[in-house]
Amino acid sequence: MNVVIPTEDKQMQHIIEKVRHGQRLSLEDGVFLYQSDDLLTIGQLANEVALRKNGKKVYFIENMSLYFTNVCEAHCAFCNFRKDEGEEGAYTLSGQQMIEYVEKHFHPGVREFHIVGGHNPNVPFQYYVDSLKALKERFPEVTLKAYTAAEIDFFARISGLGYKEVLQELMKAGLESLTGGGAEILSDHYRKKMRVDKADVTQYLQVHRTAHELGLRTHTTMLYGSIESKEDRIRHLIQLRELQDETRGFLVFIPLSMQPINPRAGIRRRNSAFEDLKTIAISRLMLDNFQHIKAYFINIGVQLTQVALTMGASDAHGTIVKERISHAAGALTPEGITREDLIWLIKGAGRIPVERDTFYNEIKVYE
């Protein structure tokens, strides 16, 4: 396959040759791609890699996002989901209350609960264990993909246990995978500036390393589009790539487009479509040891997600039912999507929809 527009740029030609010969891209290569405005070449190169890894298959899952509590001790600058205890709108649900919520929205096709929430210091670690236990007992067939690495670090602090012991307790309660959140940008400078007063870079990576050592396969993210530099983004990807070399424990990488705090914020306060597509494509090119890159329709919209499936993405996420965190921060997208619409979206990009479970085992291929 030839690139769409033949390029005379020597560095782009060099990168094309490296990708086609399976050679790893460097920090300098990644920064160059971000600085280039040749989206078609970058996108088609990423498409080649995605086709090489997964053929025309694009994966999705029937899942539900659940949030046990929005009370949080952290005050991250980009978050509009968190509340203080006692503040209007603050809540902390018991296991039974969550089961009542799930039963209202549940149908037999749901295969995964995606569980994240605030770092609520007003309840003990046992509360978080019991939350999973209650769900697993009531819905034993549904995979529990629960908590971010930052939440695991928080649980370690409030319980006095190490990461390994925290994860083992949660696994006994039914934990089967970690979510990818809490990564933001893996840069200490960024985290200080954006008041990310939760797990630092080393802690985030160590939680995932420990989870992988215990046999858990996990997800990971990057929240881009605020104060970070293009070099920060590439360094972030390289740190994840290095951990993946070490453990092979990551299932998928999810670039998350930063949302403005105000839902009425105009176009200039959001990442451009150009930037979103470029980030997905560059992620595919840099993360040569990841099987999947996800296009997250909650943050970039369903139509841009469709385009992203031809620029390196091989996962269109899932049905979700009711997403809250990005919408609290101003996302203008649907809070969920039906299985039928996901299938239509994937087929519309000339791809083959594949319903999967959490671990990318194929449930049904929609030829």
Side-chain angles (χ1 to χ4, degrees):
M1 187 188 294
N2 294 318
V3 289
V4 179
I5 304 167
T7 177
E8 294 183 6
D9 187 292
K10 289 278 179 17
Q11 191 159 356
M12 186 68 86
Q13 287 176 342
H14 178 61
I15 288 171
I16 291 166
E17 286 305 306
K18 284 175 84 169
V19 170
R20 288 185 170 160
H21 288 93
Q23 295 171 11
R24 178 159 279 184
L25 298 189
S26 66
L27 172 69
E28 294 71 29
D29 293 331
V31 171
F32 170 81
L33 290 173
Y34 258 123
Q35 289 168 343
S36 168
D37 61 1
D38 191 354
L39 179 62
L40 291 180
T41 296
I42 298 166
Q44 187 162 352
L45 203 54
N47 187 47
E48 286 184 33
V49 175
L51 289 171
R52 198 157 68 219
K53 284 184 175 286
N54 300 293
K56 286 197 162 189
K57 289 180 175 178
V58 169
Y59 294 80
F60 73 93
I61 189 167
E62 284 254 29
N63 64 348
M64 287 180 70
S65 287
L66 307 180
Y67 311 86
F68 272 93
T69 181
N70 62 354
V71 175
C72 191
E73 65 172 17
H75 292 78
C76 304
F78 48 78
C79 183
N80 208 37
F81 174 74
R82 68 161 307 283
K83 301 283 184 189
D84 290 318
E85 180 81 356
E87 185 182 344
E88 187 181 347
Y91 67 87
T92 301
L93 302 182
S94 67
Q96 188 52 44
Q97 287 172 313
M98 182 56 82
I99 285 168
E100 288 166 12
Y101 169 82
V102 172
E103 284 177 338
K104 278 185 202 165
H105 301 278
F106 189 80
H107 64 85
V110 172
R111 300 186 181 278
E112 173 189 283
F113 293 140
H114 176 106
I115 303 164
V116 292
H119 300 188
N120 187 344
N122 305 295
V123 291
F125 171 53
Q126 193 61 40
Y127 163 81
Y128 297 96
V129 176
D130 291 343
S131 297
L132 296 191
K133 199 177 288 180
L135 279 174
K136 198 63 184 174
E137 285 173 0
R138 174 63 186 83
F139 303 100
E141 72 287 358
V142 180
T143 300
L144 298 187
K145 183 179 82 178
Y147 306 134
T148 66
E151 286 173 275
I152 300 302
D153 176 73
F154 167 69
F155 299 158
R157 281 192 287 112
I158 63 172
S159 67
L161 300 171
Y163 294 159
K164 183 178 179 183
E165 291 71 31
V166 164
L167 288 164
Q168 286 172 327
E169 284 301 305
L170 293 169
M171 288 166 74
K172 277 190 251 171
L175 177 74
E176 292 161 89
S177 180
L178 292 184
T179 70
E184 323 317 355
I185 294 290
L186 294 174
S187 151
D188 289 324
H189 170 74
Y190 168 95
R191 295 172 101 75
K192 186 175 179 183
K193 200 132 184 179
M194 291 295 283
R195 305 198 310 275
V196 185
D197 46 352
K198 53 188 180 184
D200 63 22
V201 175
T202 303
Q203 290 164 334
Y204 179 88
L205 294 170
Q206 185 55 37
V207 168
H208 280 279
R209 179 181 288 108
T210 306
H212 298 166
E213 288 167 355
L214 290 170
L216 290 175
R217 305 293 302 282
T218 69
H219 305 67
T220 189
T221 61
M222 176 176 74
L223 182 67
Y224 65 92
S226 59
I227 63 162
E228 81 282 354
S229 66
K230 301 299 189 282
E231 187 171 316
D232 286 335
R233 294 184 195 177
I234 299 300
R235 288 189 187 280
H236 178 110
L237 296 176
I238 288 171
Q239 288 179 88
L240 295 177
R241 189 171 73 182
E242 287 172 349
L243 182 54
Q244 183 76 329
D245 276 343
E246 185 187 326
T247 66
R248 296 285 162 177
F250 288 122
L251 289 160
V252 60
F253 172 72
I254 309 121
L256 298 172
S257 187
M258 177 76 81
Q259 304 298 303
I261 291 293
N262 183 349
R264 292 177 296 282
I267 189 171
R268 291 191 303 269
R269 299 296 302 278
R270 299 172 186 275
N271 287 317
S272 68
F274 200 85
E275 188 79 357
D276 288 332
L277 289 173
K278 195 191 282 189
T279 298
I280 286 167
I282 292 171
S283 300
R284 178 63 285 168
L285 294 171
M286 293 297 298
L287 296 176
D288 51 57
N289 53 6
F290 276 65
Q291 191 68 24
H292 299 287
I293 306 297
K294 183 177 290 186
Y296 189 51
F297 73 83
I298 286 293
N299 285 22
I300 66 172
V302 289
Q303 288 172 305
L304 204 59
T305 293
Q306 193 175 49
V307 178
L309 302 181
T310 69
M311 292 196 170
S314 55
D315 188 292
H317 196 55
T319 49
I320 297 178
V321 181
K322 189 172 175 64
E323 195 281 337
R324 294 185 190 172
I325 292 177
S326 291
H327 283 87
L332 301 176
T333 53
E335 292 177 322
I337 192 170
T338 65
R339 174 206 299 247
E340 291 72 28
D341 280 345
L342 270 173
I343 291 167
W344 178 90
L345 183 151
I346 294 166
K347 283 187 172 177
R351 295 301 202 252
I352 300 166
V354 181
E355 187 175 352
R356 63 173 176 85
D357 66 9
T358 300
F359 309 102
Y360 288 84
N361 297 308
E362 296 183 3
I363 307 300
K364 184 173 180 181
V365 180
Y366 295 83
E367 293 284 2

